[in-house]
Amino acid sequence: MKKLYGHIAALMLAAVLLLTVQCGPHRYPAELLALDSLADSQVDSAVVLMRRLAPLMTKASEADRRYYELLCIKTADKASLALPTDTATRQLVSYFENDGDRRLLPTAYYYAARIYRAHNDAPQALDYLQKADKLLGPSPEDHRQLHLKAVVNSQTGYLFSQQKLYQEALEAFKRAYHCDSLMNDTTGMIFNLRDLGYNSENIGERKRSLHCFELAVRLARQSNDSKMVAIMRTQMAAAYNLMGKYEIALRLAKDAGRYQNEGNLMAVYSV
């Protein structure tokens, strides 16, 4: 517990410094900014802080209370907790559209999309994601907004792919890759390349698919991420198996199997 409060104290101090520079018209309490940061990096600590702040929000201003409600959705989403109803979500989005801090509207759209996706409403989820992407613009200068744009486009790509709209999915994953490359987010780039490869395979572009997988393996090796190396080797093995190049597929599968990860081994054995 002492360690948790130490993290919170450090984040609150950083939040106070950030507050004077970036918060503009409305200055949010440092505790809320700390919760926002914790939700990105230490979700268990964010859950504890979220619950501790709940009684204080009854006397907070509407701006602070609405920000807290948005952060509760963010924390719940990252901690796999129960999400609010779509009615409550629409009310929160409406607040940020009409009366609230417009800087938080893309985030509100994104988490509204997450809720609708959880409710298996892909069209509504896509609508909110596209609204968020439009608001964020082609290439946000702010790092947090750039990261949000990357995530928005990744989620857009997944939804398109699930609907078998592979070309649309490819365009979304390209935008996500562009954002992650600007941030030098290697992990994000690897996942984008994986998804680009998968969707390229589904439209029959196997050469491009394999090229994406190979680039992902190269990035994973450069970052010493053995788990991602194994996952991408397995993806390549599956692709070569579908092409009828069984010796290459078997070699790649065996190479992936050297990384003793139970989840990945199941995929390896299926190949």
Side-chain angles (χ1 to χ4, degrees), residues 42-64:
Q42 301 174 52
V43 69
D44 290 341
S45 299
V47 171
V48 174
L49 180 58
M50 176 184 72
R51 291 170 176 165
R52 187 168 69 83
L53 291 176
L56 303 177
M57 289 298 108
T58 59
K59 296 180 181 180
S61 68
E62 184 176 21
D64 292 345

Side-chain angles (χ1 to χ4, degrees), residues 11 15 18-19 22-23 26-40 49-50 53 57 60-76 91-93 95-96 99-105 107-108 111 144-145:
L11 283 166
L18 188 67
L19 198 71
Q22 295 184 3
C23 272
H26 182 77
R27 294 192 172 188
Y28 294 105
E31 293 91 343
L32 292 180
L33 297 175
L35 175 58
D36 201 345
S37 296
L38 280 170
D40 288 325
L49 180 58
M50 176 184 72
L53 291 176
M57 289 298 108
S61 68
E62 184 176 21
D64 292 345
R65 191 172 68 254
R66 293 295 192 177
Y67 183 33
Y68 173 75
E69 289 173 7
L70 180 59
L71 293 178
C72 285
I73 297 174
K74 176 179 178 177
T75 303
Q91 290 174 349
L92 187 61
V93 167
Y95 166 76
F96 284 109
D99 304 308
D101 189 340
R102 294 281 298 182
R103 294 165 302 170
L104 294 174
L105 184 54
T107 304
Y111 283 105
R144 287 173 68 90
Q145 297 290 288

Side-chain angles (χ1 to χ4, degrees), residues 75-236:
T75 303
D77 182 56
K78 291 181 177 291
S80 300
L81 301 176
L83 294 170
T85 64
D86 53 355
T87 301
T89 303
R90 284 196 300 270
Q91 290 174 349
L92 187 61
V93 167
S94 178
Y95 166 76
F96 284 109
E97 285 178 329
N98 299 302
D99 304 308
D101 189 340
R102 294 281 298 182
R103 294 165 302 170
L104 294 174
L105 184 54
T107 304
Y109 281 148
Y110 171 72
Y111 283 105
R114 293 289 293 166
I115 289 170
Y116 278 102
R117 183 180 181 185
H119 292 165
N120 297 314
D121 188 342
Q124 188 64 67
L126 276 169
D127 182 58
Y128 277 124
L129 288 170
Q130 289 168 343
K131 285 180 177 179
D133 188 54
K134 184 177 180 180
L135 274 181
L136 290 165
S139 185
E141 294 182 3
D142 179 79
H143 186 275
R144 287 173 68 90
Q145 297 290 288
L146 188 59
H147 173 72
L148 179 59
K149 187 175 178 70
V151 175
V152 161
N153 279 284
S154 291
Q155 292 296 310
T156 301
Y158 293 138
L159 284 171
F160 276 134
S161 187
Q162 287 172 356
Q163 305 301 313
K164 301 187 186 304
L165 299 171
Y166 301 118
Q167 189 60 54
E168 290 84 349
L170 281 169
E171 295 306 315
F173 286 124
K174 285 177 185 177
R175 292 192 295 271
Y177 180 85
H178 173 70
C179 293
D180 284 325
S181 64
L182 290 176
M183 294 183 292
N184 198 28
D185 182 347
T186 304
T187 301
M189 292 165 68
I190 292 170
F191 280 115
N192 295 150
L193 286 166
R194 178 201 65 184
D195 296 322
L196 284 166
Y198 172 79
N199 285 278
S200 295
E201 173 68 23
N202 276 290
I203 60 173
E205 295 188 5
R206 287 178 173 169
K207 186 175 181 180
R208 184 167 70 171
S209 174
L210 290 171
H211 178 63
C212 289
F213 292 153
E214 287 167 357
L215 285 177
V217 169
R218 191 182 308 165
L219 276 177
R221 282 179 170 160
Q222 288 173 357
S223 57
N224 296 315
D225 190 338
S226 60
K227 179 181 177 181
M228 285 306 299
V229 169
I231 289 172
M232 296 314 307
R233 286 298 222 185
T234 306
Q235 291 269 11
M236 292 177 70

